[in-house]
Amino acid sequence: MRFFKGGQSVDQIQQLSDYIDRSSHIVATTGAGISVAGGGVTYGQMLFSTRGAGRMRRPGDDYSSFLPTYLDTMFSYKPSYSHYALQDLEEEGKLIGIVTTNVDCMHTIAGSKNVAEIQGSLQVNCCAGCGRHYDGYEIWNQGELPRCELCGGEILPWPLYSHIGLWDEDVRKAREWMSKADLILAIGTRGNYGDVYWGYRKKNAVIVQINPGHTGFDRVADLNIREECDGVFQKLKERREGND
């Protein structure tokens, strides 16, 4: 059955459901939109508010506003419905990995196991003094900025001490998953980061974009769902349960 007529989907939720049912190696690539759906402040928004447009400071200079503008918000909201929906697909054995540019650890907090945070995250932390690593997001949920237990130095998360570089370990994971994916879900993200991971995808993989706005995925997606992701996944759950 064809779901498209005149370039538009007759029933996009059903088509998404069918794609998922036919797939065994799904990869989701996510951006700020999936966290904003849950009420969170993105790291990009925090950087803009603390640094101003186009200005970069040394990592420690951001500390005065890092905790109240980002960390407090991060731990005061929960993962979105979409975060949990992806975790459900992982438990179902359909989703093999999540590739994200978000640094808020919400996929991990939601329970997902296979997450590639290609720009690092608040789970990758390093002492600015001695270089000791303190990995895991829980260190940021103490109500104060942590210091190294060995030298007393400031502990910086990867996005601050790297100035938002790429986390090579997770880039390798993203490339491996993309090479196996038969369905790619682009959720709340504006671009594919070119050859960082996108160039490694299977050429016959089906691509579904879930985003209310226009993005770099528009021309390559087999299906563009112009809605907020939480609403889409809620309707998808109802549809799949109704088809059981």
Side-chain angles (χ1 to χ4, degrees):
M1 177 182 296
R2 288 182 61 86
F3 290 89
F4 282 97
K5 182 178 180 180
Q8 296 297 320
S9 174
V10 174
D11 187 340
Q12 293 183 321
I13 301 301
Q14 185 61 52
Q15 187 169 10
L16 175 58
S17 180
D18 290 346
Y19 280 147
I20 290 173
D21 288 342
R22 292 196 297 263
S23 301
S24 57
H25 293 77
I26 302 172
V27 172
T29 177
T30 69
I34 195 171
S35 290
V36 171
V41 174
T42 70
Y43 191 72
Q45 290 170 333
M46 190 282 291
L47 286 181
F48 187 87
S49 65
T50 59
R51 292 176 177 173
R55 292 195 298 120
M56 292 291 288
R57 303 176 182 173
R58 69 178 185 84
D61 289 342
D62 288 319
Y63 260 45
S64 61
S65 53
F66 186 57
L67 184 64
T69 60
Y70 187 75
L71 295 179
D72 286 351
T73 305
M74 171 184 167
F75 289 107
S76 66
Y77 78 93
K78 304 295 183 183
S80 69
Y81 189 97
S82 301
H83 286 109
Y84 289 115
L86 293 180
Q87 194 272 335
D88 287 344
L89 284 175
E90 183 182 74
E91 281 196 351
E92 191 178 329
K94 290 281 190 179
L95 185 76
I96 64 171
I98 299 169
V99 180
T100 187
T101 54
N102 296 338
V103 303
D104 60 10
C105 311
M106 284 294 126
H107 288 296
T108 299
I109 294 172
S112 292
K113 305 299 182 184
N114 297 318
V115 183
E117 297 166 322
I118 62 171
Q119 287 189 318
S121 75
L122 297 176
Q123 301 192 82
V124 183
N125 309 298
C126 181
C127 172
C130 67
R132 179 177 181 178
H133 268 258
Y134 290 84
D135 293 342
Y137 65 85
E138 297 88 351
I139 195 172
W140 300 106
N141 195 20
Q142 300 174 3
E144 59 183 6
L145 294 165
R147 288 190 172 273
C148 178
E149 61 187 29
L150 292 182
C151 74
E154 295 177 333
I155 296 175
L156 304 177
W158 168 265
L160 285 186
Y161 73 75
S162 71
H163 290 290
I164 318 184
L166 292 172
W167 185 238
D168 290 340
E169 178 180 337
D170 280 14
V171 168
R172 286 192 291 270
K173 292 179 186 177
R175 291 172 175 175
E176 178 183 356
W177 295 336
M178 279 288 172
S179 71
K180 299 176 181 177
D182 50 15
L183 173 61
I184 301 170
L185 305 177
I187 306 167
T189 181
R190 291 182 291 181
N192 56 39
Y193 276 71
D195 291 336
V196 171
Y197 70 87
W198 189 251
Y200 291 77
R201 74 189 188 282
K202 290 173 64 174
K203 298 307 179 185
N204 62 344
V206 173
I207 302 168
V208 175
Q209 176 178 218
I210 304 172
N211 199 315
H214 291 279
T215 77
F217 290 101
D218 289 357
R219 294 184 178 180
V220 298
D222 298 281
L223 174 64
N224 281 301
I225 303 178
R226 301 290 187 202
E227 300 180 40
E228 297 287 352
C229 54
D230 276 8
V232 170
F233 281 109
Q234 288 167 1
K235 287 186 282 189
L236 176 65
K237 180 179 181 180
E238 294 171 0
R239 183 64 58 88
R240 295 186 78 202
E241 289 178 345
N243 290 340
D244 289 342

